[in-house]
Short mmCIF file of all heavy atoms in Angstrom, two decimals:
data_model
loop_
_atom_site.label_atom_id
_atom_site.label_comp_id
_atom_site.label_asym_id
_atom_site.label_seq_id
_atom_site.Cartn_x
_atom_site.Cartn_y
_atom_site.Cartn_z
N ALA A 215 -124.79 -196.75 39.97
CA ALA A 215 -123.59 -197.47 40.41
C ALA A 215 -122.77 -197.98 39.23
O ALA A 215 -121.60 -198.33 39.40
CB ALA A 215 -123.97 -198.63 41.33
N CYS A 216 -123.39 -198.02 38.05
CA CYS A 216 -122.68 -198.47 36.85
C CYS A 216 -121.85 -197.33 36.27
O CYS A 216 -122.11 -196.15 36.51
CB CYS A 216 -123.67 -198.98 35.81
SG CYS A 216 -124.54 -200.50 36.30
N ASP A 217 -120.87 -197.68 35.46
CA ASP A 217 -120.01 -196.67 34.84
C ASP A 217 -120.73 -195.91 33.74
O ASP A 217 -120.52 -194.71 33.56
CB ASP A 217 -118.76 -197.34 34.25
CG ASP A 217 -117.91 -198.00 35.32
OD1 ASP A 217 -117.59 -197.34 36.33
OD2 ASP A 217 -117.56 -199.18 35.15
N LEU A 218 -121.58 -196.61 32.99
CA LEU A 218 -122.29 -196.01 31.85
C LEU A 218 -123.75 -196.42 31.89
O LEU A 218 -124.09 -197.48 32.43
CB LEU A 218 -121.67 -196.46 30.52
CG LEU A 218 -120.17 -196.16 30.32
CD1 LEU A 218 -119.69 -196.84 29.05
CD2 LEU A 218 -119.91 -194.67 30.28
N ARG A 219 -124.61 -195.58 31.28
CA ARG A 219 -126.04 -195.86 31.24
C ARG A 219 -126.58 -195.63 29.83
O ARG A 219 -126.44 -194.53 29.29
CB ARG A 219 -126.79 -194.95 32.24
CG ARG A 219 -126.63 -195.36 33.69
CD ARG A 219 -126.78 -194.19 34.63
NE ARG A 219 -125.69 -193.22 34.45
CZ ARG A 219 -124.46 -193.38 34.95
NH1 ARG A 219 -124.17 -194.46 35.66
NH2 ARG A 219 -123.52 -192.48 34.72
N VAL A 220 -127.17 -196.68 29.26
CA VAL A 220 -127.83 -196.61 27.96
C VAL A 220 -129.32 -196.78 28.20
O VAL A 220 -129.74 -197.74 28.86
CB VAL A 220 -127.32 -197.70 27.01
CG1 VAL A 220 -128.08 -197.66 25.69
CG2 VAL A 220 -125.82 -197.54 26.77
N LEU A 221 -130.14 -195.86 27.68
CA LEU A 221 -131.57 -195.89 27.94
C LEU A 221 -132.36 -196.21 26.68
O LEU A 221 -132.05 -195.68 25.60
CB LEU A 221 -132.05 -194.54 28.48
CG LEU A 221 -131.99 -194.31 29.99
CD1 LEU A 221 -130.59 -194.47 30.54
CD2 LEU A 221 -132.56 -192.95 30.33
N ALA A 222 -133.36 -197.09 26.83
CA ALA A 222 -134.35 -197.23 25.78
C ALA A 222 -135.12 -195.92 25.66
O ALA A 222 -135.22 -195.15 26.63
CB ALA A 222 -135.31 -198.38 26.11
N SER A 223 -135.67 -195.66 24.48
CA SER A 223 -136.33 -194.37 24.24
C SER A 223 -137.54 -194.15 25.15
O SER A 223 -137.92 -193.00 25.41
CB SER A 223 -136.75 -194.26 22.78
OG SER A 223 -137.57 -195.35 22.41
N HIS A 224 -138.13 -195.24 25.65
CA HIS A 224 -139.30 -195.09 26.53
C HIS A 224 -138.94 -195.18 28.00
O HIS A 224 -139.82 -195.16 28.86
CB HIS A 224 -140.33 -196.18 26.20
CG HIS A 224 -139.88 -197.57 26.54
ND1 HIS A 224 -138.92 -198.23 25.80
CD2 HIS A 224 -140.23 -198.41 27.54
CE1 HIS A 224 -138.72 -199.44 26.32
NE2 HIS A 224 -139.50 -199.56 27.39
N ALA A 225 -137.65 -195.26 28.32
CA ALA A 225 -137.22 -195.39 29.71
C ALA A 225 -137.55 -194.13 30.51
O ALA A 225 -137.55 -193.01 29.98
CB ALA A 225 -135.73 -195.67 29.78
N VAL A 226 -137.85 -194.33 31.78
CA VAL A 226 -138.10 -193.23 32.72
C VAL A 226 -137.34 -193.55 33.99
O VAL A 226 -137.39 -194.67 34.49
CB VAL A 226 -139.60 -193.09 33.04
CG1 VAL A 226 -139.84 -191.93 34.00
CG2 VAL A 226 -140.41 -192.87 31.76
N MET A 227 -136.62 -192.55 34.51
CA MET A 227 -135.82 -192.75 35.70
C MET A 227 -136.24 -191.77 36.79
O MET A 227 -136.77 -190.69 36.50
CB MET A 227 -134.32 -192.58 35.39
CG MET A 227 -133.80 -193.53 34.33
SD MET A 227 -132.02 -193.35 34.03
CE MET A 227 -131.36 -194.07 35.55
N GLY A 228 -135.97 -192.13 38.03
CA GLY A 228 -136.27 -191.20 39.11
C GLY A 228 -135.94 -191.77 40.47
O GLY A 228 -136.13 -192.97 40.72
N LEU A 229 -135.43 -190.91 41.33
CA LEU A 229 -135.25 -191.27 42.75
C LEU A 229 -136.51 -190.77 43.45
O LEU A 229 -136.60 -189.62 43.89
CB LEU A 229 -133.98 -190.63 43.31
CG LEU A 229 -132.68 -191.19 42.74
CD1 LEU A 229 -131.47 -190.44 43.29
CD2 LEU A 229 -132.55 -192.68 43.04
N THR A 230 -137.49 -191.64 43.53
CA THR A 230 -138.85 -191.28 43.94
C THR A 230 -139.13 -191.55 45.41
O THR A 230 -140.29 -191.48 45.86
CB THR A 230 -139.86 -192.06 43.09
OG1 THR A 230 -139.56 -193.47 43.20
CG2 THR A 230 -139.75 -191.66 41.62
N GLU A 231 -138.10 -191.82 46.20
CA GLU A 231 -138.30 -192.28 47.57
C GLU A 231 -139.08 -191.31 48.45
O GLU A 231 -139.88 -191.73 49.30
CB GLU A 231 -136.96 -192.62 48.22
CG GLU A 231 -136.32 -193.91 47.74
CD GLU A 231 -135.47 -193.74 46.50
OE1 GLU A 231 -135.53 -192.66 45.86
OE2 GLU A 231 -134.73 -194.68 46.16
N VAL A 232 -138.84 -189.99 48.29
CA VAL A 232 -139.52 -189.06 49.19
C VAL A 232 -141.04 -189.09 49.02
O VAL A 232 -141.77 -188.74 49.95
CB VAL A 232 -139.01 -187.61 49.02
CG1 VAL A 232 -137.55 -187.49 49.43
CG2 VAL A 232 -139.24 -187.10 47.61
N THR A 233 -141.52 -189.55 47.88
CA THR A 233 -142.97 -189.67 47.69
C THR A 233 -143.53 -190.81 48.54
O THR A 233 -144.74 -190.89 48.73
CB THR A 233 -143.33 -189.92 46.22
OG1 THR A 233 -142.85 -191.20 45.81
CG2 THR A 233 -142.72 -188.84 45.34
N LEU A 234 -142.64 -191.66 49.05
CA LEU A 234 -143.03 -192.76 49.94
C LEU A 234 -142.56 -192.49 51.37
O LEU A 234 -142.51 -193.40 52.20
CB LEU A 234 -142.43 -194.08 49.44
CG LEU A 234 -142.91 -194.52 48.05
CD1 LEU A 234 -142.06 -195.69 47.55
CD2 LEU A 234 -144.38 -194.89 48.09
N ALA A 235 -142.19 -191.23 51.63
CA ALA A 235 -141.78 -190.79 52.97
C ALA A 235 -140.49 -191.45 53.44
O ALA A 235 -140.26 -191.62 54.64
CB ALA A 235 -142.89 -191.03 53.99
N ILE A 236 -139.61 -191.81 52.50
CA ILE A 236 -138.27 -192.29 52.82
C ILE A 236 -137.28 -191.51 51.95
O ILE A 236 -137.68 -190.60 51.23
CB ILE A 236 -138.13 -193.82 52.59
CG1 ILE A 236 -138.52 -194.18 51.15
CG2 ILE A 236 -138.97 -194.59 53.61
CD1 ILE A 236 -138.31 -195.66 50.81
N ILE A 237 -136.01 -191.86 52.01
CA ILE A 237 -135.01 -191.21 51.16
C ILE A 237 -134.24 -192.30 50.41
O ILE A 237 -134.25 -193.47 50.80
CB ILE A 237 -134.04 -190.33 51.97
CG1 ILE A 237 -133.06 -191.18 52.80
CG2 ILE A 237 -134.79 -189.33 52.84
CD1 ILE A 237 -131.90 -190.40 53.38
N PRO A 238 -133.55 -191.93 49.33
CA PRO A 238 -132.68 -192.90 48.67
C PRO A 238 -131.64 -193.42 49.68
O PRO A 238 -130.96 -192.61 50.32
CB PRO A 238 -132.03 -192.10 47.54
CG PRO A 238 -132.98 -190.98 47.28
CD PRO A 238 -133.56 -190.64 48.62
N GLY A 239 -131.54 -194.73 49.80
CA GLY A 239 -130.65 -195.29 50.80
C GLY A 239 -129.61 -196.23 50.26
O GLY A 239 -128.89 -196.88 51.03
N ALA A 240 -129.52 -196.33 48.92
CA ALA A 240 -128.54 -197.24 48.31
C ALA A 240 -127.56 -196.47 47.43
O ALA A 240 -127.13 -196.94 46.39
CB ALA A 240 -129.26 -198.32 47.50
N GLY A 241 -127.22 -195.27 47.88
CA GLY A 241 -126.21 -194.47 47.20
C GLY A 241 -126.74 -193.32 46.37
O GLY A 241 -125.96 -192.51 45.86
#
């Protein structure tokens, strides 16, 4: 939702909802 994204070198991202039997619901 932000305009820009800066990541720390150890950062990990993911839309992992389907692994919990749901879907991303906040955009």
Side-chain angles (χ1 to χ4, degrees):
C216 293
D217 297 310
L218 302 172
R219 285 153 294 282
V220 177
L221 272 58
S223 56
H224 67 287
V226 180
M227 301 183 72
L229 292 176
T230 55
E231 285 87 348
V232 295
T233 67
L234 298 170
I236 55 176
I237 72 168

